Amino acid sequence: MTALKQFQRIEATGLWRPSPDVQRREVVVSIGEATLTISDFNDRALTHWSLAALERQNPGVFPAIYHPDGDPQETLELAQSETTMIEAIDRLQRAIDWSRPHPGRLRWFSVAGVVAAVAALMLLWLPSALQNHVVSVVPEIKRIDIGDTILRRIERVSGRACVSEGTQEALDHLAARTGVRAIVILPAGVQTSLTLPGGIVLLNRSLVEDHEDPSVVAGYILAERARAQAQDPLDDLLDRTGIRSAFRLLTTGELTPQIVDSYTEEVLSEPRPAVPDENLLEIFAEAALPSVPFAYATDVTGETVLGLIEADPMAGQPLQQILPDREWVRLQNICGG
């Protein structure tokens, strides 16, 4: 058998010279499983060369001249007509070369693997780690400043926040009752409600004008609290505007108008994310507020909010007044009725 499984035997004639001072002689060359055998015409083996230690002196030139590795004095010449033998030797040399250890190649693969790992770390871990760090180090006063900046940008679209005589006290009471820092009512812009960095909750005027029960607007504020607990509003801003925003905020303490505009346009065009019933009910229970009015305000049929209706934490319990009637009436007219 030969080293090439498709051939039972490969033979050729060639010119062999054991040393430069000896005349070349015609021989028979055959390939075995691991050796190249050089024989005379009486089938007597003259020498055996290891296929793994066979080298060609003149690649691409004919006659092809071969010698054992480390001994270029002993040569074998194969004429161009011995195509099968020459191609077989070339194939075997390539296969042997491929199977040999390649320290340089291993080093290259090792370096490439390290580079790929570092790149993956930079792309996958670093942005998240940087964003989390920024969210954790930005002080509250800066968050309030960012929230005020976003509010001013929204007011360019929605119109200025609604203000009327005696309503600020009512807004402050409602904020204290629902556990948020500040409440702003807008004539348009927000679809229902939105929490900005710094604890500013924006409400659409319809939430106070279209409902007789202040528990409804209080419910929307509590829903914003639940969303803010699930994801910090500043974290949401950086999620939407990318790692450059996080890096800029960390290094300069500021966000560009373009970043603010990009966030504002995106967040105002999307519905508010849903909050799991268990999270909402926990917030309602903590604030001692009923969940049923909010549930029916979001779905008048009650079908999609059945959990909030059936598990109302204040069911059958006495309710504390959310706002005095006079303050609630003032809020209902804060945007001019």
Side-chain angles (χ1 to χ4, degrees):
M1 288 294 292
T2 70
L4 299 174
K5 291 182 171 49
Q6 65 266 45
F7 297 105
Q8 289 291 325
R9 185 175 179 82
I10 303 176
E11 286 188 343
T13 58
L15 296 176
W16 172 66
R17 180 161 56 188
S19 62
D21 57 348
V22 177
Q23 186 176 357
R24 294 179 302 173
R25 62 182 291 185
E26 192 170 14
V27 294
V28 177
V29 183
S30 61
I31 292 180
E33 291 189 4
T35 60
L36 187 75
T37 302
I38 299 175
S39 309
D40 62 18
F41 283 92
N42 294 320
D43 205 25
R44 289 195 301 265
L46 302 174
T47 186
H48 296 274
W49 290 358
S50 169
L51 290 172
L54 184 64
E55 291 190 7
R56 182 173 178 176
Q57 291 183 359
N58 58 343
V61 179
F62 294 96
I65 301 176
Y66 299 91
H67 64 81
D69 184 23
D71 186 9
Q73 304 299 316
E74 183 180 4
T75 60
L76 172 67
E77 297 181 17
L78 295 177
Q80 187 172 3
S81 59
E82 300 292 353
T83 306
T84 301
M85 175 64 73
I86 293 172
E87 290 182 351
I89 292 174
D90 287 347
R91 286 176 57 188
L92 289 171
Q93 286 185 311
R94 288 195 298 270
I96 292 169
D97 181 67
W98 179 257
S99 66
R100 285 173 175 157
H102 293 82
R105 185 181 301 169
L106 179 61
R107 188 180 303 112
W108 187 90
F109 280 122
S110 298
V111 172
V114 171
V115 171
V118 171
L121 182 68
M122 296 287 287
L123 292 174
L124 301 177
W125 175 82
L126 183 59
S128 177
L130 175 61
Q131 182 171 316
N132 291 339
H133 176 66
V134 172
V135 171
S136 68
V137 300
V138 173
E140 186 64 21
I141 189 169
K142 187 60 190 178
R143 290 169 176 264
I144 294 172
D145 180 59
I146 293 172
D148 288 340
T149 300
I150 297 171
L151 174 58
R152 289 193 295 271
R153 179 62 186 87
I154 292 175
E155 285 180 319
R156 290 167 54 187
V157 178
S158 67
R160 293 189 63 81
C162 298
V163 178
S164 63
E165 184 179 355
T167 55
Q168 188 57 54
E169 184 179 4
L171 289 173
D172 291 342
H173 288 166
L174 183 60
R177 181 69 177 83
T178 53
V180 298
R181 191 186 67 82
I183 296 172
V184 175
I185 297 179
L186 295 174
V190 293
Q191 297 181 35
T192 52
S193 58
L194 174 66
T195 302
L196 302 180
I200 305 171
V201 177
L202 308 184
L203 302 175
N204 187 288
R205 64 185 293 179
S206 63
L207 295 183
V208 293
E209 292 180 351
D210 296 351
H211 303 281
E212 294 302 321
D213 187 351
S215 296
V216 173
V217 68
Y220 277 93
I221 297 169
L222 293 182
E224 286 300 323
R225 273 186 57 191
R227 293 186 183 101
Q229 287 182 3
Q231 183 178 28
D232 189 307
L234 180 60
D235 188 49
D236 179 53
L237 185 155
L238 298 179
D239 260 352
R240 294 173 183 272
T241 56
I243 188 172
R244 290 184 179 180
S245 301
F247 185 75
R248 182 177 182 85
L249 185 57
L250 180 64
T251 54
T252 69
E254 302 294 336
L255 296 174
T256 65
Q258 292 77 16
I259 292 173
V260 174
D261 285 350
S262 174
Y263 167 74
T264 300
E265 291 170 6
E266 185 173 331
V267 77
L268 292 181
S269 64
E270 297 178 358
R272 299 300 287 146
V275 182
D277 285 353
E278 56 269 25
N279 293 15
L280 283 173
L281 291 169
E282 183 179 345
I283 292 284
F284 276 96
E286 179 186 324
L289 286 170
S291 58
V292 169
F294 167 75
Y296 279 116
T298 55
D299 180 2
V300 68
T301 69
E303 294 179 359
T304 62
V305 289
L306 195 60
L308 297 179
I309 295 172
E310 294 181 343
D312 186 343
M314 301 306 293
Q317 299 187 40
L319 301 178
Q320 179 185 352
Q321 187 179 41
I322 297 174
L323 284 176
D325 291 341
R326 182 180 62 181
E327 290 187 357
W328 175 237
V329 171
R330 285 178 178 174
L331 279 186
Q332 288 185 298
N333 292 279
I334 190 173
C335 294

